[in-house]
Amino acid sequence: MTQLVLHNYDLDDACYRVRLVASCCDLSVELRNVDMFPGMEQVSPPYLTLNPLGRLPILETAEATLRQTGAILLYLAGLDPQKRLLPTDTSELAQMTDWLFFAEHDLSVATTARAISIMDVPGDGPATLAQTRALLRIMEDHMSAQDVKGLGFFAGAEITLADLALFPAFALSRDCNIDHDAFPALRLWARRVRATPGFIVMPGIPDYH
Amino acid sequence: MSETGWVPIALSRCIAPGTSAGTAVHGAEIVVWRDTGGKAHAWEDRCPHRGMKMSFGFVRGDHIACLYHGWEYDETGTCRYIPAHPDLEVPPSICVTRYAVAEAGGMIWTALPLGEMPEVGPNAPEMDGLRSLYIDAPLDAVLAGLHTLALQVTQTGSLITATLGETRPTLGLHSIDADHSALHITLPSDTPTAIRLSLLDQLATLRRDVEAPLKETAQ
């Protein structure tokens, strides 16, 4: 298979989503570590040539340069010969996509809240925290309903790309002082995600299983 | 708060064997954890070493370990192992404070005042845990909202039974602190899935209604 190159920063949760999905799909990705904090290397001239948006992750494939995390995740899940993270059922695939967009679009405020909290990025800390908490509550309500239906994951009975895309925001929420006390359904779900073959952690997510 | 007696602090099914979670009762922080043998524990949520929350830690067999430095405590709350000094016989005076714990009606309970060990356990009917609903409002406001929404509301101690639509859930009342509450929602085990889902929607509406006036005041 062609070599994949991930421009990566270990403490960035979007880069972690890519490493996590690659690992769970048993794909090898070459890491190029970028000094995002405090070096801001992602907005240096060579990196702006690679990604004018000035952010990570960036995945270079033999044919293209991908810079939207969601697109990178879908590409990796499609490369997996077993396609284990992509439902075959059309409705489940739609639900997976719904939550994938939630993770990449709505939940990006969680990334912002965490960056304000631990990386000195300017922004409205209390407002982003309140929004993050409201989004985690939407996830908690959904998983409470999934529990009633006997479904252990966001899009159905099996883990999909959506679960791995959503996991970091919940697992890292303590970095901005949102603890897990009020999210029992998400705690049980996170435990199931952790049991996925290939699951890996990042700094800030304790590895205790 | 002068409340005494048993209070529910979690749904039994939400604390899986080998896991821990943090909560609070009237502002006092508690770690609820279940050992791998299935026995539930409720302790003060503080490691005597550096004050770290034990609920951030992890369960190993019948011990719970602190996330900071891995100090491990046995089911009596006594420290048994300090990883930085693996050969040390740990002095038995290093202990986490334990509280009363019981399981009944699909819920885990502790007793107030914390540290009290009642001889008789909580009295609750056999039920299935549905979900714990956390609400950013004082328990009084939640109760007022429940009386508006539900019919035939009857309260015994920390339990409320109320008619909501086609079902009659039993709700465990939990005051987390002056501004936060939880309802531990249980149902008879033969309740159909569609009715369970409809109850989830009604209770989410209750949460929205109870929180809305408080949010307006805050703005």
Side-chain angles (χ1 to χ4, degrees), chain A residues 9-76:
Chain A
Y9 179 60
D10 274 345
L11 296 183
D12 177 77
D13 71 286
C15 292
Y16 168 58
R17 290 201 281 277
V18 176
R19 298 195 304 276
L20 177 61
V21 167
S23 178
C24 290
C25 290
D26 209 9
L27 301 169
S28 76
V29 173
E30 185 188 327
L31 297 183
R32 298 265 169 84
N33 286 315
V34 179
D35 178 14
M36 190 164 139
F37 180 82
M40 298 290 281
E41 196 184 351
Q42 76 280 11
V43 290
S44 65
Y47 267 100
L48 284 178
T49 306
L50 204 54
N51 181 6
L53 294 165
R55 63 175 186 231
L56 299 179
I58 304 164
L59 187 77
E60 289 188 275
T61 76
E63 303 85 21
T65 302
L66 302 175
R67 23 194 208 206
Q68 295 291 342
T69 309
I72 295 171
L73 301 185
L74 280 167
Y75 176 68
L76 294 176

Side-chain angles (χ1 to χ4, degrees), chain A residues 133 137 141 144 181 187 191, chain B residues 17 21-22 131 136 207 211:
Chain A
R133 207 166 156 267
R137 198 187 243 187
D141 287 355
S144 298
D181 297 11
R187 291 199 306 262
R191 201 168 144 78
Chain B
R131 80 169 291 192
D136 296 342
R207 181 182 61 192
E211 289 181 351

Side-chain angles (χ1 to χ4, degrees), chain A residues 174 181 208, chain B residues 20-23 30-32 44-46 52-58 64-65 67:
Chain A
R174 284 167 175 165
D181 297 11
Y208 46 56
Chain B
S20 61
T23 187
I30 297 174
V31 55
V32 192
E44 183 182 11
D45 197 5
R46 197 176 64 82
M52 179 67 172
K53 283 189 170 197
M54 292 302 299
S55 55
F56 285 17
F58 41 93
I64 185 166
L67 183 64

Side-chain angles (χ1 to χ4, degrees), chain B:
Chain B
M1 185 63 85
S2 58
E3 190 180 343
T4 59
W6 290 99
V7 287
I9 50 174
L11 285 180
S12 292
R13 57 176 288 269
C14 289
I15 310 293
T19 68
S20 61
T23 187
V25 176
H26 300 310
E29 291 177 338
I30 297 174
V31 55
V32 192
W33 64 281
R34 194 184 292 285
D35 59 42
T36 46
K39 193 171 178 298
H41 307 268
W43 294 1
E44 183 182 11
D45 197 5
R46 197 176 64 82
C47 179
H49 178 219
R50 290 286 183 187
M52 179 67 172
K53 283 189 170 197
M54 292 302 299
S55 55
F56 285 17
F58 41 93
V59 179
R60 290 263 163 83
D62 59 0
H63 288 192
I64 185 166
C66 180
L67 183 64
Y68 260 17
H69 304 99
W71 289 29
E72 281 188 26
Y73 300 84
D74 71 11
E75 61 181 324
T76 69
T78 309
C79 186
R80 290 295 178 192
Y81 181 62
I82 296 177
H85 303 281
D87 299 326
L88 178 76
E89 193 167 323
V90 183
S93 56
I94 303 176
C95 290
V96 183
T97 306
R98 287 185 306 152
Y99 302 139
V101 69
E103 291 197 69
M107 302 176 209
I108 300 176
W109 305 66
T110 194
L112 297 179
L114 290 173
E116 202 85 342
M117 300 287 176
E119 281 173 20
V120 181
N123 185 19
E126 202 59 40
M127 291 277 174
D128 264 8
L130 182 72
R131 80 169 291 192
S132 291
L133 188 72
Y134 291 82
I135 305 176
D136 296 342
L139 189 56
D140 289 350
V142 175
L143 283 172
L146 203 55
H147 279 274
T148 307
L149 184 73
L151 301 168
Q152 291 180 292
V153 183
T154 53
Q155 183 173 354
T156 315
S158 291
L159 286 184
I160 264 198
T161 304
T163 301
L164 276 154
E166 298 171 74
T167 186
R168 198 161 162 77
T170 297
L171 315 175
L173 307 175
H174 175 182
S175 172
I176 292 171
D177 60 32
D179 303 309
H180 300 86
S181 319
L183 294 176
H184 303 291
I185 302 152
T186 67
L187 284 166
S189 58
D190 59 359
T191 310
T193 301
I195 290 178
R196 288 171 188 247
L197 291 172
S198 140
L199 180 62
L200 284 182
D201 288 343
Q202 291 182 72
L203 289 160
T205 304
L206 168 75
R207 181 182 61 192
R208 200 159 48 231
D209 290 349
V210 170
E211 289 181 351
L214 296 167
K215 278 185 186 143
E216 278 164 26
T217 316
Q219 277 161 9

